[in-house]
Amino acid sequence: MAKYRAWLGVILALTIAAVVVITQLPTRLGLDLRGGSQLTIQVQPTEAIPTVTEREMEAVQTVVEGRVNGLGVSEAVVQQLGNNQLLVQLPGVSDPQQAERVLGGTAQLEFRAQRAGTDQQLQIENQILQGHLGELAALQAALPPNGAITSETQARIDRLQADIANSEAAIVALFEPSTLGGDALTDAIARPTSGTLWEVVIQFNNEGGNEFAEISRAIAGTGRTIGIFLDNRLLSAPTVNVQYAETGITGGSAVISGNFTAESARDLEIQLRGGALPLPVEVVENRTVGPTLGRDSIQRSLYAGLAGLVLVLVFMAVYYRLPGILADIALIVYALLTWAAFNLLGVTLTLPGIAGFILSIGMAVDANVLIFERTREELRSDKTLYRSVESGFFRAFSSILDGNVTTLISCLALFYFGAGLVKGFALTLGIGVLISMFTALTCTRTLMFLAISLPQFRRPSLFCPGLNPVRPNPVRP
Amino acid sequence: MKLNIIQQRGLWWGISTMLVLISLVAMAISWQQFGAPLRPGLDFAGGTRLQLTRACVATDSCTVGLDVSEVRQVLAQQGLDSSSIQVLGDDQQVLSIRTRNLDVEERTTLQSALDEAIGPFDPGSTQIDSVGPVIGRQLLVSGLLALLVSFAGIVAYLSLRFKLDYALLAILALAHDVIVTAGVFAILGLGLGIEVDSLFIVSLLTIVGFSVNDTVVIYDRVRENLKLNPGSHINDVVDSAVNQTLSRSINTSLTTILPLVAIFIFGGQTLKYFALALIVGFLAGSYSSIFVASSLLALWRERTGQAYSGDPDEATPQSEPQSEPQS
């Protein structure tokens, strides 16, 4: 019995740990439950670039991430999907129309000459902008991960975003409009110079090279800069040395050097390439759920789950008696462990995910049912209680294993091929199946053997009603 | 309760054959009407669905339910005459419109037109689903692929754990369950206009997992009984295996279907038909495991001259626990 006492300790410890995890770590709710938009953006190949490669996807992703930041949604996620799609998740977005418009446009890269006499203004505006950006980043980093934003914080975020937009507009105004855009840029490459310093080489096509020479000649040696804008946001503002005052930077290529680290040079490279990208993007899927609607469906699903669980618990206790009650305890442990596993693994709980969880409760009972039916059979064939329980577990094991493995195979297929909501369902069902095997084989088992070690529970009628203990010659059905 | 599976197998097979035939006919009719065996939902056909809930701040604006003909007028002005309109909710205050795939400008125009003519609508309860044709095809292909791969995986696993004939017959029973579930939804699609979405494929896969589980438990018992009684006829072995596992089959189906019924009744709109598909599939799965998969195995063994187990593979006993005397 010492073995089962030790197991009981393990199970108790796990249960307490699970409760701690559930109370400490937040449950991540999917967009369908908390409200928000999920957009799938497809990169369209063009005649010039018929196949979309990893390099282009990287660039497009950077552009899209920049735009998402511009929307000011906290906890936004941009992920690559397949080889030519991006998945953008915007929790709690209030204006899905705006989001779709902003994310769906083609990137606008522009090279603009700074207006005369704006040096100081540019510096000041840039400082103000950096201040706002820093404050916003700090604010968003301090947000609780579950997305529960107070209206006060939300108001501050909104104000900061308005300020940022104003600063950006003010900076744009300091530069001359130009026609030299991303379509003229053929490449951008980050490369190391001496020591730890890096620089970024940009290359234009013929026409663009001439235009760039023009712009660079105008500002060379004046201390003014060439503003490189992506979607009207200043990426970089390099100056041009006085030596180019005669001809400008000719030959169609230029080097942007400065205090670049490997990382910042690479950032600029990708942003430039993204801006240079003549690849249009299109929003091909939009799933938006209003926040109130999400709350409504989570409540309904939770009620459904609880009602289902209660019905199952009652059924087990009534039908299987003592083992049924023990199985009920195991089932509650199962539910707690599974919930804790979701929080620990950061599973995003979607509506189908909740359905998967509820379904797995029903299926978790199956292992117990198999074991108890076997135990009853052995009891009916006049075995001792201890042997009956033992062989109940032993003989049911291969059925439990086979049944669960086949369910897991379906889960794997769903997880591998499915997308979005489908993946969530497969994951929650799969985790549920694994944990249910563990609880059925350890938790129920431990409780059963501990129970039959106590004399007051050692009556076969508690395990199998209608059993006639004095039946002399039991016949197997 | 004791079932005579083998004796009445003509009846069981008759019922199953009839169900499968009705399902196939329903899918054929559906194919004629929609060009697909089931009425395809937004996920597969592509398009835009707007679900709007009227904001009921001013209570007198909500005394009457939404009027479909009014909505149709607004849609006609936007050139969206062929859209389908549904009014949902207990107070008929929820409007669901399914149109061709709208881009963001078209959608905004439509929403503001509706807002003006019928609204105002509550932005917090709005649901927008817009699926382009590419995504629709992608979802369908990936769903069917998942179905095929899990079939193959299950065959491989069962051949490994049992034998190939068990595996193939289990798959046959699975195909039965999938066809019957699809058939029920084909009929629902024809009669009540219920569409299938990607959750339907999920439910098919779950049915596959669950129903094979059911079959495996019975086959497991058949295999065990063959070991214990090497001389008996396969028909008797199958009969007693089914009866020994019968109360388990019933109880498991019951405990699994109970929560699903709860979801069907209490759950939100999204999960309602998902739960229904699972309920239909699980019932079909239990039926086919008990009545079809088992009797097919008996028939197959009889026909291939294996009515009496003489197979050395089959007779390899599993080791029993030490304390357990061989019965």
Side-chain angles (χ1 to χ4, degrees):
Chain A
M1 281 309 105
K3 186 175 111 194
Y4 293 113
R5 293 235 169 75
W7 265 115
L8 190 65
V10 171
I11 291 160
L12 269 177
L14 275 177
T15 312
I16 293 167
V19 173
V20 171
V21 166
I22 290 166
T23 48
Q24 295 302 310
L25 283 179
T27 307
R28 292 176 43 167
L29 297 181
L31 294 187
D32 56 340
L33 295 176
R34 59 197 281 207
S37 284
Q38 176 172 306
L39 307 172
T40 308
I41 295 176
Q42 178 141 342
V43 182
Q44 315 281 348
T46 59
E47 269 177 39
I49 304 177
T51 51
V52 183
T53 64
E54 193 57 36
R55 211 168 110 97
E56 273 117 25
M57 281 307 288
E58 201 178 35
V60 174
Q61 181 165 355
T62 317
V63 174
V64 170
E65 271 166 4
R67 292 177 183 178
V68 167
N69 287 338
L71 287 171
V73 179
S74 56
E75 277 186 273
V77 177
V78 180
Q79 276 174 330
Q80 202 170 318
L81 200 70
N83 43 22
N84 60 354
Q85 288 173 347
L86 290 174
L87 181 76
V88 181
Q89 294 189 313
L90 307 168
V93 68
S94 52
D95 190 350
Q97 267 81 2
Q98 184 210 3
E100 201 170 322
R101 258 194 295 271
V102 170
L103 295 181
T106 313
Q108 294 293 326
L109 185 74
E110 260 187 82
F111 295 82
R112 297 175 175 171
Q114 192 181 346
R115 293 182 200 272
T118 56
D119 292 12
Q120 279 196 330
Q121 237 173 311
L122 178 61
Q123 246 178 17
I124 294 166
E125 288 291 351
N126 222 344
Q127 265 170 14
I128 297 174
L129 177 63
Q130 293 310 324
H132 288 328
L133 286 174
E135 199 180 334
L136 186 64
L139 204 60
Q140 284 180 340
L143 281 180
N146 208 13
I149 304 174
T150 62
S151 56
E152 211 177 305
T153 322
Q154 189 58 53
R156 245 179 91 201
I157 291 178
D158 289 346
R159 208 193 57 233
L160 275 171
Q161 270 155 3
D163 289 344
I164 290 169
N166 285 339
S167 296
E168 279 170 348
I171 290 175
V172 172
L174 302 179
F175 289 81
E176 310 259 8
S178 92
T179 53
L180 181 58
D183 50 341
L185 190 71
T186 53
D187 210 350
I189 300 155
R191 66 176 185 202
T193 55
S194 56
T196 57
L197 285 180
W198 283 64
E199 60 186 19
V200 179
V201 184
I202 50 178
Q203 269 160 3
F204 294 97
N205 59 16
N206 280 342
E207 217 175 302
N210 294 337
E211 224 172 311
F212 187 70
E214 198 66 26
I215 294 174
S216 54
R217 186 167 57 93
I219 63 157
T222 61
R224 285 184 279 146
T225 60
I226 297 182
I228 306 175
F229 289 87
L230 182 62
D231 289 340
N232 279 331
R233 186 168 298 133
L234 187 62
L235 290 184
S236 177
T239 52
V240 180
N241 279 343
V242 69
Q243 70 193 84
Y244 296 108
E246 288 286 304
T247 58
I249 302 174
T250 52
S253 93
V255 176
I256 309 172
S257 50
N259 284 325
F260 286 117
T261 60
E263 202 184 334
S264 61
R266 203 168 140 61
D267 276 353
L268 183 61
E269 171 201 298
I270 293 175
Q271 283 173 321
L272 285 171
R273 243 191 0 241
L277 212 65
L279 289 182
V281 293
E282 192 192 339
V283 177
V284 288
E285 188 186 13
N286 174 2
R287 296 187 188 265
T288 299
V289 176
T292 339
L293 200 64
R295 203 155 45 232
D296 187 44
S297 51
I298 192 176
Q299 245 160 22
R300 279 164 163 266
S301 309
L302 276 180
Y303 287 148
L306 286 177
L309 187 61
V310 168
L311 286 175
V312 170
L313 293 179
V314 169
F315 171 80
M316 288 300 281
V318 168
Y319 191 87
Y320 288 109
R321 310 215 169 170
L322 178 65
I325 293 166
L326 299 179
D328 283 352
I329 297 171
L331 217 54
I332 292 167
V333 171
Y334 161 77
L336 288 173
L337 287 182
T338 311
W339 189 1
F342 290 165
N343 289 5
L344 264 183
L345 298 175
V347 174
T348 305
L349 219 51
T350 57
L351 205 49
I354 290 185
F357 182 43
I358 293 171
L359 196 57
S360 75
I361 292 173
M363 290 175 135
V365 181
D366 182 46
N368 290 312
V369 169
L370 273 168
I371 293 166
F372 299 159
E373 286 293 334
R374 262 313 172 95
T375 305
R376 281 189 174 185
E377 250 181 74
E378 303 290 326
L379 274 174
R380 286 197 195 102
S381 64
D382 229 15
K383 297 243 176 78
T384 65
L385 188 56
Y386 185 84
R387 289 224 170 137
S388 298
V389 171
E390 195 177 42
S391 82
F393 277 95
F394 177 78
R395 289 173 179 237
F397 179 73
S398 88
S399 294
I400 296 174
L401 182 73
D402 289 340
N404 282 314
V405 170
T406 47
T407 308
L408 279 178
I409 290 174
S410 305
C411 286
L412 276 178
L414 270 182
F415 187 77
Y416 189 77
F417 294 104
L421 298 180
V422 175
K423 257 196 164 68
F425 172 83
L427 193 60
T428 49
L429 187 59
I431 291 174
V433 166
L434 286 176
I435 295 180
S436 79
M437 269 186 78
F438 172 78
T439 49
L441 294 176
T442 61
C443 194
T444 315
R445 189 191 184 95
T446 305
L447 292 173
M448 284 275 267
F449 281 108
L450 282 175
I452 56 177
S453 70
L454 302 172
Q456 58 268 44
F457 289 132
R458 221 177 282 153
R459 274 181 296 144
S461 63
L462 286 174
F463 291 77
C464 181
L467 186 73
N468 184 0
V470 289
R471 193 168 48 178
N473 229 344
V475 191
R476 264 185 159 234
Chain B
M1 181 161 50
K2 180 139 169 59
L3 289 173
N4 283 320
I5 301 297
I6 303 297
Q7 214 179 341
Q8 293 164 323
R9 63 188 179 195
L11 174 67
W12 314 132
W13 293 345
I15 293 174
S16 281
T17 314
M18 208 173 65
L19 288 176
V20 168
L21 280 181
I22 294 173
S23 301
L24 292 178
V25 168
M27 284 191 261
I29 296 174
S30 168
W31 188 284
Q32 297 244 298
Q33 286 204 5
F34 318 120
L38 299 163
R39 188 189 277 261
L42 194 73
D43 285 3
F44 302 131
T48 295
R49 181 175 48 220
L50 276 177
Q51 190 185 310
L52 306 165
T53 309
R54 193 138 71 169
C56 293
V57 194
T59 34
D60 52 331
S61 70
C62 287
T63 45
V64 245
L66 290 162
D67 184 4
V68 174
S69 61
E70 262 182 87
V71 179
R72 194 162 292 286
Q73 252 177 359
V74 179
L75 283 166
Q77 283 163 12
Q78 309 283 326
L80 298 167
D81 307 66
S82 57
S83 314
S84 74
I85 303 163
Q86 271 183 299
V87 175
L88 310 167
D90 300 335
D91 315 319
Q92 306 287 295
Q93 297 299 329
V94 181
L95 181 62
S96 175
I97 300 172
R98 162 118 182 251
T99 66
R100 63 178 169 81
N101 199 6
L102 301 179
D103 68 26
V104 55
E105 306 300 338
E106 291 173 306
R107 209 179 64 220
T108 318
T109 322
L110 174 61
Q111 266 180 273
S112 43
L114 285 168
D115 228 32
E116 217 162 281
I118 308 161
F121 292 101
D122 173 17
S125 306
T126 301
Q127 183 170 357
I128 303 167
D129 290 281
S130 220
V131 179
V134 184
I135 295 282
R137 205 168 47 240
Q138 219 172 305
L139 282 172
L140 187 64
V141 169
S142 66
L144 292 179
L145 214 57
L147 204 59
L148 285 178
V149 166
S150 61
F151 265 61
I154 288 168
V155 170
Y157 178 76
L158 290 186
S159 328
L160 205 73
R161 288 279 294 164
F162 292 84
K163 294 176 80 187
L164 186 64
D165 58 350
Y166 283 102
L168 293 178
L169 291 173
I171 290 293
L172 200 64
L174 280 190
H176 164 270
D177 307 337
V178 169
I179 290 172
V180 169
T181 312
V184 168
F185 274 77
I187 294 169
L188 287 175
L190 290 167
L192 301 173
I194 289 166
E195 300 170 338
V196 296
D197 53 12
S198 44
L199 274 184
F200 182 73
I201 296 214
V202 173
S203 65
L204 287 187
L205 274 157
T206 315
I207 289 164
V208 165
F210 178 85
S211 137
V212 82
N213 188 350
D214 242 15
T215 310
V216 159
V217 170
I218 293 174
Y219 280 180
D220 201 54
R221 198 61 187 242
V222 170
R223 184 172 57 174
E224 187 184 324
N225 287 355
L226 280 175
K227 260 180 263 161
L228 294 176
N229 317 296
S232 22
H233 192 274
I234 183 79
N235 283 352
D236 301 331
V237 171
V238 167
D239 243 358
S240 59
V242 169
N243 280 294
Q244 281 159 354
T245 51
L246 194 61
S247 45
R248 173 265 160 195
S249 299
I250 295 171
N251 290 348
T252 299
S253 306
L254 202 66
T255 53
T256 319
I257 288 177
L258 276 179
L260 288 173
V261 172
I263 297 178
F264 182 66
I265 298 171
F266 300 113
Q269 199 68 28
T270 331
L271 290 184
K272 210 180 179 70
Y273 292 108
F274 176 61
L276 183 65
L278 288 176
I279 293 171
V280 172
F282 285 180
L283 287 176
S286 295
Y287 179 84
S288 72
S289 302
I290 297 174
F291 296 102
V292 182
S294 58
S295 52
L296 279 180
L297 181 70
L299 180 78
W300 168 256
R301 288 277 159 117
E302 210 177 338
R303 287 286 158 87
T304 52
Q306 303 173 66
Y308 296 94
S309 161
D311 191 333
D313 286 355
E314 206 96 54
T316 315
Q318 262 178 299
S319 62
E320 284 277 302
Q322 289 302 306
S323 57
E324 182 70 25
Q326 291 281 333
S327 44

